[in-house]
Amino acid sequence: MSPFFMSYLVANRSKDPSTQVGACIVNQRKRIVGQGYNGMPRGCSDDEFPWKKVGPDLETKYFYVCHAEMNAIFNKNCDDISNCTIYTILFPCNQCTKTIIQSGISEVVYMCDKNKDKVEAIASMKMLDACNVRYRQLRPSWAGLNIDFKQGLCEIVKIGQSKSIPQPTTQQIDNTKKRQNCLPWDAYFLAISILVAKRSKCPEEQLGACIVNEEKRIVGQGYNGMPQNSRNVFPWRTDSKNILENKILYECHAELNAILNANLQVKGCKLYTITFPCNECAKAIIQSGIKEVIHLKKAEDKDTYVAAQIMFNAAKVTFRQHTPKDEMLYVDFSQIEL
Ligand SMILES: Nc1ccn([C@H]2C[C@H](O)[C@@H](COP(=O)(O)O)O2)c(=O)n1
């Protein structure tokens, strides 16, 4: 799963009616440590601040909007992002470039350089070159992502294939008002969990989870997989008579991995997950201080889930199933003209 897919999904939260940009920061262990989209500063109302592109300076969005790259850096979930790579849909402006350099990021990967002839981009390149920050363009070889909330699955759509995917009806854009059709928070974090699951090597079921704090910052993400550094020695099968030859004793669940991958405190956080947690993950959820579990699929009627519910009730961890309003979400990579 390329971090670019994540950047496009993150961009979906932007209220900018004309241009939605997403960025995500990846550390050397290939973990996502920061995500951001373009939007008004915290506390500056999306309804009151202007979204217009033209007009007197103080009446357009440009003086106020925080760029996706800047937000990804300020949303980082660890102290040190030096030597990380930032993936961004648009080439960074000079202001974001200063923030990128000062935070120690060592590589910028961007998809679109439509502003490359503007002074801001030229200044960015000068600074990146002077400070030995690498930058490269990645041309998309995919058309988009199709997130299926009903199945909890995500399909990467190839160029050409997108024509067969039903596209959401496009309304005339009113670029004087905030964008109306961005994903609501619960659906957004479940979509992130579905996309994270795409990294799983499990041939049977790919599951994902993410942990979100009160500030709506993602503090940890995980998918089901074998213990790290286990070099493919463990089986994925489930049908052997010898239980030691089945995956069950070895596989780490998405929820456990999300907790262990978290870089910020998970106490008091919400955990979003595709399936209801098993009893073993429930123990980890309770012991780590997570306060709420939001699951996409209905809990199956099996002892492991009943035990999890009994423990959640006793420990006052709330849980609820969330069904997004739309069954499908198409994340269109051509939303920004290259
Ligand atoms: N590297 C960039 C460049 C721009 N943005 C944001 C800032 C605005 O919200 C929007 C650009 O507006 P446009 O003039 O294209 O309608 O994109 C960013 O986040 N990162």
Side-chain angles (χ1 to χ4, degrees):
M1 190 266 301
S2 159
F4 258 120
F5 301 162
M6 188 61 86
S7 301
Y8 276 104
L9 177 55
V10 171
N12 198 289
R13 279 283 316 157
S14 173
K15 306 286 188 311
D16 188 327
S18 7
T19 310
Q20 296 92 48
V21 187
C24 99
I25 302 170
V26 177
N27 71 12
Q28 289 179 312
R29 295 178 71 196
K30 304 265 178 281
R31 296 214 172 126
I32 294 175
V33 291
Q35 282 145 311
Y37 55 86
N38 54 325
M40 292 301 165
R42 279 172 204 268
C44 298
S45 163
D46 294 320
D47 295 308
E48 285 162 24
F49 278 77
W51 287 108
K52 275 194 306 194
K53 285 161 73 111
V54 286
D57 282 348
L58 289 174
E59 290 171 25
T60 71
K61 63 182 173 182
Y62 298 106
F63 268 27
Y64 310 107
V65 85
C66 302
H67 287 191
E69 301 90 319
M70 173 191 183
N71 280 335
I73 292 170
F74 285 108
N75 283 338
K76 67 182 187 215
N77 65 17
C78 57
D79 288 338
D80 187 8
I81 51 169
S82 50
N83 297 316
C84 285
T85 298
I86 187 163
Y87 290 80
T88 171
I89 298 178
L90 286 182
F91 186 76
C93 72
N94 62 310
Q95 289 298 346
C96 289
T97 296
K98 294 177 202 172
T99 317
I100 289 170
I101 295 169
Q102 296 305 74
S103 61
I105 287 175
S106 56
E107 189 182 25
V108 176
V109 185
Y110 61 97
M111 196 161 267
C112 171
D113 63 355
K114 66 173 183 174
N115 298 328
K116 69 174 186 306
D117 298 327
K118 293 197 176 149
V119 286
E120 290 87 347
I122 297 169
S124 289
M125 282 181 225
K126 278 188 173 204
M127 288 189 279
L128 294 170
D129 288 336
C131 303
N132 290 325
V133 176
R134 299 184 302 280
Y135 51 98
R136 65 187 160 93
Q137 187 171 22
L138 197 71
R139 287 278 177 184
S141 42
W142 321 273
L145 284 176
N146 206 20
I147 295 187
D148 180 342
F149 286 116
K150 200 159 176 220
Q151 307 289 334
L153 291 174
C154 166
E155 179 201 8
I156 295 162
V157 181
K158 296 199 189 89
I159 289 170
Q161 189 195 344
S162 53
K163 293 188 187 73
S164 59
I165 306 265
Q167 308 284 318
T169 44
T170 42
Q171 294 146 346
Q172 191 65 33
I173 296 170
D174 175 356
N175 70 11
T176 63
K177 292 200 185 77
K178 77 170 184 193
R179 185 171 154 251
Q180 299 295 329
N181 58 340
C182 81
L183 267 184
W185 284 116
D186 281 346
Y188 171 69
F189 292 124
L190 287 170
I192 298 257
S193 305
I194 293 172
L195 184 54
V196 168
K198 201 78 193 156
R199 288 277 311 154
S200 173
K201 310 280 184 311
C202 180
E204 194 188 27
E205 196 172 32
Q206 300 84 46
L207 297 173
C210 73
I211 300 172
V212 179
N213 72 10
E214 270 191 341
E215 295 174 316
K216 307 269 189 293
R217 208 176 275 190
I218 298 174
V219 306
Q221 308 178 354
Y223 55 87
N224 56 322
M226 291 304 169
Q228 55 182 321
N229 306 325
S230 56
R231 297 181 301 271
N232 298 325
V233 296
F234 295 114
W236 284 111
R237 61 188 293 195
T238 51
D239 58 354
S240 172
K241 288 201 175 65
N242 177 357
I243 192 158
L244 284 168
E245 289 173 0
N246 289 332
K247 69 169 186 173
I248 185 159
L249 294 173
Y250 315 108
E251 188 183 28
C252 307
H253 289 186
E255 298 91 323
L256 179 68
N257 281 335
I259 295 171
L260 297 173
N261 285 340
N263 288 319
L264 290 177
Q265 158 137 278
V266 299
K267 199 168 171 206
C269 286
K270 294 181 182 184
L271 180 136
Y272 289 83
T273 172
I274 299 177
T275 49
F276 193 81
C278 72
N279 62 306
E280 291 303 326
C281 288
K283 294 178 202 170
I285 290 168
I286 295 167
Q287 296 304 76
S288 66
I290 287 172
K291 280 289 159 234
E292 189 176 2
V293 172
I294 298 107
H295 55 104
L296 182 68
K297 292 189 179 173
K298 199 166 168 272
E300 283 175 65
D301 188 16
K302 286 188 181 163
D303 285 353
T304 173
Y305 305 116
V306 176
Q309 289 175 18
I310 292 171
M311 288 189 282
F312 283 154
N313 286 330
K316 298 199 170 40
V317 173
T318 55
F319 51 90
R320 61 184 164 91
Q321 185 183 10
H322 179 76
T323 309
K325 187 167 68 60
D326 296 318
E327 277 184 8
M328 297 287 228
L329 166 74
Y330 184 63
V331 182
D332 185 1
F333 293 173
S334 63
Q335 68 200 34
I336 289 183
E337 293 289 314
L338 295 181

